[in-house]
Amino acid sequence: MQARLLLEDGTMFKGLSFGAETQTIGEVVFNTGMTGYQELLSDPSYCGQIVTMTYPLIGNYGITRDDFEAIRPNIYGLAVRRYEPIPSNWRAQYSLGDLLKEYEIPGISDIDTRMLTRKIRQFGSMRGLITTGNEHVEELLERLKATPTLHDQVARTSTDYVYTNPGSKERIVLIDCGSKSGIIRELSKRNCDIVVVPHDTTADDIRRLAPDGIQLSNGPGDPKDNLHVAETIKQLLGEFPIFGICLGHQLFALACGADTDKLKFGHRGGNHPVKELETNRCYITSQNHGYAVTDESIKGTDLIVTHINNNDKTIEGLKHKTFPAFSVQYHPEAAPGPEDSSYLFDQFIEMIRKHKIENPQKPRQAVLSEMLRGELQNA
């Protein structure tokens, strides 16, 4: 069946459908990874986006249950040069096309993804529409322009309830803004007692969980659509060690008085070089973001830049001058991508242990009693 991809500037790509026979609208972006399409499909950070793969052959190793980064796929559409419908992989349980059909996600193949990528690089990310229907271009353009831009991606991908991944060591509260499973896997490897909470959990509710540290997750969309999370972080700064990843990095910066802005076409892929300023060492990182913390906004804050992107010199890491808190723009949990930066989770645990020695915590019951007394006085 024929499929079409229409960009908001009127550019049309005609190809073949290999996913659901439906229509979708989203931001068209590109990913430079050669592998990892299943982790990419299920990464909540891609919610609301149509992803173009720059590597030309996609689908050749199929889909397996163990490689998901969330319960279900989160992308709105997939564009590839060539789709392989028959996977060759002993782990494969079904094909990529079957997965897209199951979750009503359209896919388009046999288009010039090189041209599409070059267009995005030149003019920036833009909205697009994939359809398997026969509507006129003018009608599709009108629909594309009339469809409002999403601003609630975090609410769509965050958990609705508190759940735990028990461990016997440090208790980590993970604020879920669209978290990948890789973050929980890395914390679990270190035997952390993980409590995952929704994005709109209040600072007081987090205090009631008596955490040793707070993990800020990745997630989709504009960080300024989630200032309630930044406010929660601001209230908890200095009280608990904090580690932010991707969107969590941006929200940490906003909480400290810095600013963010949209990049022209973002960073998405598993091959982005990042320099650690303290050691002058370069790491190859996995990235997926369309926004970045702005250089000028760091001035006058209590933040220090720790990492920069070697390609475009954008900020890739921050730490607080006084409080035990740091963040990175990239994904140390990888999945997909290199695992060069997984040591950051060890640094987080070391920070927590140091903070506990320097600031002995009261027993949980005493903390809850003080909070209750304060609430009664304010009632």
Side-chain angles (χ1 to χ4, degrees):
M1 174 176 285
Q2 186 189 61
R4 292 177 292 168
L5 169 60
L6 176 66
L7 302 181
E8 60 183 322
D9 67 354
T11 305
M12 175 74 78
F13 295 85
K14 295 181 180 180
L16 301 176
S17 169
F18 69 94
E21 297 174 7
T22 185
Q23 186 176 113
T24 191
I25 292 174
E27 181 187 22
V28 183
V29 299
F30 66 85
N31 184 289
T32 57
M34 295 176 66
T35 61
Y37 56 78
Q38 181 175 335
E39 294 92 332
L40 178 156
L41 289 167
S42 54
D43 182 350
S45 296
Y46 282 107
C47 178
Q49 295 179 333
I50 297 171
V51 182
T52 303
M53 301 300 296
T54 61
Y55 187 69
L57 176 60
I58 300 297
N60 53 317
Y61 57 84
I63 298 292
T64 181
R65 180 199 67 179
D66 297 336
D67 291 342
F68 282 101
E69 282 299 308
I71 296 297
R72 56 156 294 149
N74 286 281
I75 67 168
Y76 276 27
L78 184 63
V80 305
R81 177 70 185 92
R82 176 184 166 190
Y83 166 63
E84 177 51 63
I86 304 175
S88 177
N89 176 10
W90 65 272
R91 297 174 70 236
Q93 295 169 303
Y94 43 99
S95 72
L96 171 59
D98 289 339
L99 177 73
L100 295 182
K101 290 173 184 175
E102 180 180 351
Y103 288 98
E104 292 294 311
I105 300 169
I108 182 171
S109 68
D110 292 80
I111 65 171
D112 189 345
T113 51
R114 179 178 174 84
M115 173 187 170
L116 177 54
T117 301
R118 287 171 65 90
K119 190 174 189 65
I120 293 172
R121 282 184 60 88
Q122 182 177 356
F123 299 105
S125 300
M126 59 185 79
R127 302 177 76 214
L129 178 151
I130 295 178
T131 184
T132 54
N134 298 314
E135 301 95 329
H136 292 296
V137 173
E138 292 77 14
E139 182 182 345
L140 294 174
L141 271 175
E142 200 61 40
R143 187 174 305 161
L144 182 55
K145 292 175 182 177
T147 302
T149 302
L150 289 179
H151 291 282
D152 64 343
Q153 296 99 310
V154 165
R156 291 175 183 233
T157 55
S158 173
T159 181
D160 294 325
Y161 51 87
V162 177
Y163 66 93
T164 64
N165 194 89
S168 60
K169 294 189 177 179
E170 289 77 15
R171 174 174 288 184
I172 308 297
V173 168
L174 171 58
I175 301 179
D176 179 11
C177 294
S179 176
K180 290 169 60 182
S181 297
I183 296 176
I184 295 178
R185 283 197 301 270
E186 288 295 332
L187 293 172
S188 295
K189 285 179 187 177
R190 292 152 180 85
N191 206 13
C192 293
D193 183 29
I194 307 164
V195 183
V196 184
V197 300
H199 67 100
D200 54 359
T201 304
T202 66
D204 278 346
D205 284 340
I206 290 174
R207 291 186 183 103
R208 287 188 178 92
L209 296 170
D212 296 311
I214 296 172
Q215 178 81 65
L216 312 175
S217 84
N218 63 290
D222 186 343
K224 291 177 183 174
D225 288 336
N226 302 282
L227 293 178
H228 62 287
V229 185
E231 180 58 34
T232 299
I233 297 167
K234 186 176 181 180
Q235 293 177 39
L236 298 172
L237 263 175
E239 199 171 335
F240 306 99
I242 294 175
F243 175 27
I245 293 175
C246 202
L247 179 63
H249 158 84
Q250 297 160 7
L251 292 171
F252 169 60
L254 291 173
C256 294
D259 196 12
T260 58
D261 201 4
K262 189 172 176 61
L263 295 170
K264 185 176 180 181
F265 48 80
H267 302 154
R268 297 175 179 88
N271 54 358
H272 291 265
V274 168
K275 184 167 74 172
E276 186 178 51
L277 298 180
E278 185 177 356
T279 62
N280 213 33
R281 180 176 177 178
C282 181
Y283 294 91
I284 302 302
T285 67
S286 175
Q287 301 202 9
N288 174 20
H289 59 98
Y291 292 81
V293 179
T294 59
D295 291 322
E296 286 297 316
S297 70
I298 296 297
K299 298 174 182 177
T301 71
D302 288 323
L303 296 174
I304 299 172
V305 177
T306 58
H307 299 74
I308 61 168
N309 189 294
N310 270 352
N311 288 333
D312 61 10
K313 309 306 177 186
T314 52
I315 294 172
E316 293 281 358
L318 296 167
K319 71 176 180 180
H320 200 279
K321 292 178 181 177
T322 308
F323 301 139
F326 71 102
S327 64
V328 291
Q329 181 64 81
Y330 50 93
H331 289 267
E333 80 284 359
E339 299 179 353
D340 298 28
S341 302
S342 61
Y343 72 91
L344 291 171
F345 289 98
D346 296 320
Q347 286 189 359
F348 181 39
I349 301 302
E350 290 170 10
M351 175 186 286
I352 289 172
R353 291 173 182 171
K354 181 181 178 182
H355 181 75
K356 289 176 72 174
I357 292 172
E358 295 174 351
N359 303 273
Q361 291 185 353
K362 298 177 183 178
R364 185 167 185 267
Q365 194 58 45
V367 173
L368 293 177
S369 296
E370 286 183 5
M371 290 179 67
L372 180 58
R373 282 197 297 271
E375 290 174 358
L376 290 174
Q377 289 172 1
N378 294 330

